[in-house]
Amino acid sequence: MGRLRIGVLASGRGSNFQSIAESIQRGEIDAEIAILVCNVPGASAIERAKTLGVPYVVIDHTKFGTDREAFEADVVGILRKHDVGLVVLAGFMRLLTPFFLRQFPNRILNIHPSLLPAFPGTHGVRDAVNHGAKVSGLTVHFVDESLDGGPIVLQKAVPVRDDDTEETLAARILEWEHKMYPLAVKLFAEGRLTVEGRRVKINWDGLQPLPAP
Ligand code: GRF
């Protein structure tokens, strides 16, 4: 098998995209970001791609109206053209249809800023704070047809402080996102993940396993 080629999909800030790209550049992950696909013109993920020297393309979903599959067909075409073997969602704010998911079974990763299945959806951090959760965190998971419900690869718990706001908690979770997402991509790239139903088994041989939460 050749070196894994990754397609990153982003809609906004792109800090997770950058953390993965930099981890690759430091030689920690044997893979290459073949293409960044951004669906929002002007998003800062695009500036980061330029700075990092990562090829990128902008596919503005609003040009496709309500035709999600037409938008996704263009994205799939780009990913295929770049021979992508792993799709990494990094703040990608579009729900993917079964059409897209069928193209990359167990080959799409997402990161979500809560301990799933708690607080799925767009406001995972805000919902945890408003609920009064004492612990939240992040989840890296494979993407399936459910909303934030696919098989879980990695989780990291982050305590919620009494004086936390959505912003302060999101910032502390994000620091961990930037460590855990590259780790999940590395585990995938090294063929260490086995999906068995809902459970993802990890082969940690020769690696430092995660400390207990
Ligand atoms: C992160 O908080 C991630 O958990 C969520 O969207 C945010 C993306 O941030 N899915 P960035 O665009 O990677 O900076």
Side-chain angles (χ1 to χ4, degrees):
M1 201 182 82
R3 200 165 184 236
L4 177 69
R5 295 173 61 78
I6 299 171
V8 178
L9 272 51
S11 304
R13 187 173 54 186
S15 71
N16 278 290
F17 156 58
Q18 181 173 340
S19 72
I20 293 166
E22 289 178 344
S23 183
I24 289 172
Q25 287 176 354
R26 287 194 299 270
E28 294 161 357
I29 307 172
D30 185 20
E32 166 179 359
I33 300 185
I35 189 79
L36 167 80
V37 180
C38 183
N39 66 311
V40 178
S44 41
I46 299 167
E47 287 311 311
R48 292 185 200 251
K50 290 179 189 167
T51 307
L52 289 158
V54 172
Y56 67 93
V57 62
V58 180
I59 305 180
D60 180 356
H61 68 274
T62 63
K63 299 241 159 71
F64 298 84
T66 55
D67 193 345
R68 283 176 181 274
E69 285 200 11
F71 164 68
E72 290 181 354
D74 270 23
V75 177
V76 169
I78 292 285
L79 296 173
R80 292 267 178 248
K81 185 174 136 200
H82 289 271
D83 202 15
V84 161
L86 173 68
V87 178
V88 170
L89 307 185
F92 183 65
M93 301 307 284
R94 307 290 300 165
L95 283 179
L96 294 168
T97 72
F99 160 74
F100 188 98
L101 301 176
R102 273 197 303 271
Q103 312 289 323
F104 298 98
N106 285 341
R107 288 184 167 269
I108 308 173
L109 289 175
N110 184 41
I111 189 160
H112 181 80
S114 76
L115 291 177
L116 292 170
F119 312 120
T122 318
H123 302 295
V125 180
R126 184 189 306 174
D127 294 345
V129 172
N130 289 344
H131 194 79
K134 297 296 188 194
V135 177
S136 193
L138 67 92
T139 304
V140 181
H141 63 93
F142 283 109
V143 177
D144 65 11
E145 293 183 26
S146 60
L147 175 67
D148 297 328
I152 291 169
V153 178
L154 293 175
Q155 292 187 299
K156 170 70 190 163
V158 175
V160 183
R161 297 177 185 158
D162 287 353
D163 59 354
D164 261 334
T165 61
E166 179 182 2
E167 289 70 31
T168 59
L169 179 59
R172 284 207 318 290
I173 292 174
L174 193 66
E175 283 180 34
W176 279 104
E177 291 188 34
H178 294 161
K179 298 185 176 76
M180 300 297 275
Y181 215 179
L183 174 59
V185 171
K186 176 186 174 70
L187 294 170
F188 183 97
E190 294 180 2
R192 292 172 180 273
L193 303 180
T194 309
V195 183
E196 292 175 10
R198 281 213 47 83
R199 304 189 71 182
V200 180
K201 304 278 171 68
I202 302 177
N203 173 6
W204 291 100
D205 286 357
L207 292 180
Q208 185 76 23
L210 285 179

